[in-house]
Amino acid sequence: MLTVDFSRLELKPGFRILDVGCGSGRHLGEAARYKDVLAVGSDLSPADLAQARARLNFHEKTGATGGGPWETLAADATRLPFQDQSFDLVICCEVLEHIPDHERAVRELARVLKPGRDLVVSVPRYLPERVCWALSDDYHKANGGHIRIYRTAKLTALLESAGVKVWNVHYAHGLHTPYWWLKCLLGPSRPNLKLVTLYHDLLVWDMMKRPPLTRTLEKLLNPLLGKSLVVYLKKPAA
């Protein structure tokens, strides 16, 4: 399930791409599909990094990567272990809502980005997230859970304070919002709930098969109920 729309980005051979908070490697794996790029994923979770490596190894074996090198490493988003202006694209999806010092994290994202290049950040969208918080304390109070909700204007102001400029915004995953509302209503930590399981199976089927009906439905739902707010920014050329 990709949150970033890579078709909006210009990616060239030789680019260095960093996915901060890469998790299990969904965007890292997509970045590695481009020809002769260096794809780097960082995360604090050893389990997630192991999944990301397994995903990239599988892509390599099946010929789904673009032939360039890739790497994963454990790193804190507020103290990235890279030199200034090291990457041609920086991605940070569904991460900032977990970080107490998000101002410092944003400065790090901008610091490692080359001038004239793109930064893509996504967070949970305000209204769907607010409903989840209202339905369930467990949803956001879990260990490592969400500690804040962003309005679009607040997020863009935070990002632009680091010296990057917004050039596009969109919403994603409209089909996922009712799933999370249902999950929060019935109890996010309760396993084997039939309705939740059935909806989850539908989402997995949609991601695997991508039938025209659900793709069209999600496109219609995204402006109204998109679960994620996705912001595209550019660092001004030196």
Side-chain angles (χ1 to χ4, degrees):
M1 179 186 71
L2 295 177
T3 304
V4 175
D5 182 356
F6 280 80
S7 69
R8 299 173 188 245
L9 303 167
E10 183 182 10
L11 300 180
K12 300 177 181 179
F15 266 28
R16 297 162 57 91
I17 301 173
L18 175 64
D19 184 1
V20 178
C22 66
S24 63
R26 57 196 177 106
H27 290 104
L28 181 63
E30 182 65 19
R33 293 178 184 273
Y34 287 83
K35 183 174 177 59
D36 296 330
V37 303
L38 168 64
V40 179
S42 69
D43 204 284
L44 284 177
S45 167
D48 284 348
L49 288 171
Q51 289 185 46
R53 287 191 292 270
R55 184 191 297 260
L56 270 293
N57 281 324
F58 177 77
H59 285 182
E60 249 183 3
K61 290 177 182 178
T62 58
T65 61
W70 58 269
E71 186 57 88
T72 62
L73 74 161
D76 185 337
T78 64
R79 292 186 295 273
L80 293 173
F82 307 109
Q83 294 182 353
D84 296 356
Q85 302 177 16
S86 297
F87 293 93
D88 299 280
L89 171 64
V90 177
I91 297 168
C92 185
C93 286
E94 313 300 304
V95 173
L96 293 180
E97 68 273 13
H98 299 276
I99 300 177
D101 193 353
H102 62 165
E103 292 94 345
R104 182 171 179 175
V106 167
R107 289 196 298 270
E108 283 291 276
L109 298 177
R111 178 184 68 78
V112 301
L113 181 65
K114 294 179 181 179
R117 302 303 192 194
D118 293 312
L119 166 67
V120 187
V121 174
S122 79
V123 298
R125 187 180 182 182
Y126 181 82
L127 178 59
E129 184 76 351
R130 176 58 69 191
V131 173
C132 286
W133 282 44
L135 291 174
S136 171
D137 287 339
D138 290 342
Y139 170 81
H140 65 94
K141 290 184 177 179
N143 184 33
H146 300 179
I147 61 174
R148 68 177 64 84
I149 305 176
Y150 292 95
R151 290 187 182 274
T152 302
K154 290 289 187 181
L155 177 64
T156 55
L158 170 67
L159 295 169
E160 290 193 332
S161 72
V164 289
K165 297 297 181 184
V166 174
W167 59 266
N168 197 262
V169 174
H170 72 83
Y171 305 105
H173 312 314
L175 287 177
H176 291 245
T177 293
Y179 166 78
W180 281 104
W181 287 351
L182 180 63
K183 191 174 176 67
C184 288
L185 181 64
L186 298 179
S189 59
R190 292 174 62 190
N192 303 320
L193 293 172
K194 190 171 183 61
L195 278 175
V196 175
T197 300
L198 286 172
Y199 203 136
H200 180 267
D201 290 345
L202 170 66
L203 294 177
V204 172
W205 172 80
D206 173 60
M207 286 186 283
M208 297 298 292
K209 301 297 185 180
R210 301 186 64 82
L213 177 60
T214 54
R215 292 299 81 221
T216 300
L217 180 59
E218 178 148 278
K219 186 177 292 186
L220 293 172
L221 285 174
N222 280 340
L224 300 172
L225 293 179
K227 183 72 168 64
S228 293
L229 163 66
V230 193
V231 183
Y232 299 77
L233 309 101
K234 193 175 292 290
K235 188 173 185 176

